[in-house]
Amino acid sequence: MPVPRRRRRRRRLPDEVRSAAVRAVLCLSFTLVGVVVATLASYAGSWLMTPALMAMGLGVFGTMWCLLEILVSRQVAAQRMRGPNSASPMAGSRGAPEPLAARPFPRPGPRT
């Protein structure tokens, strides 16, 4: 009898990344609706083709903007998780770093 494998849980996306992804899907769906309307209007020879083409162009621009927003917000969220000036993902989450020992700086003087 095979042993069932445990499924690894995926981490939840940060809120700003999720909201950017929702905006991108909405913008893409409106763009696709504009493509369908422009196609049907061109087949029918209707005056709706021009506004539909303009809406489609704006939708393509908006979709690209939303995709860039997803990339930027993912990078910002990952940098926030890593902490400042660190290579490991959880370096900044353990608390305040220990203070350095109070040592006087060496004074510049004549070298012998």
Side-chain angles (χ1 to χ4, degrees):
M1 180 173 197
V3 177
R5 290 189 299 173
R6 288 179 39 176
R7 294 179 71 189
R8 290 195 317 183
R9 287 185 118 178
R10 291 175 46 177
R11 283 189 321 176
R12 181 176 164 156
L13 287 174
D15 288 339
E16 62 268 10
V17 179
R18 249 185 312 133
S19 61
V22 168
R23 279 193 295 273
V25 168
L26 286 174
C27 197
L28 179 66
S29 65
F30 288 136
T31 303
L32 291 177
V33 167
V35 168
V36 170
V37 169
T39 303
L40 293 176
S42 70
Y43 288 154
S46 174
W47 61 272
L48 280 176
M49 189 175 75
T50 303
L53 284 175
M54 288 192 301
M56 187 180 64
L58 287 174
V60 168
F61 177 75
T63 302
M64 290 301 123
W65 186 274
C66 290
L67 291 177
L68 283 175
E69 183 186 9
I70 289 173
L71 290 175
V72 169
S73 61
R74 283 187 64 173
Q75 290 295 321
V76 167
Q79 188 174 6
R80 189 180 307 125
M81 286 294 292
R82 274 196 301 269
N85 299 326
S86 66
S88 66
M90 299 300 286
S93 67
R94 298 244 171 148
E98 296 178 16
L100 296 175
R103 288 185 291 178
F105 288 103
R107 295 179 183 234
R111 292 186 179 173
T112 57

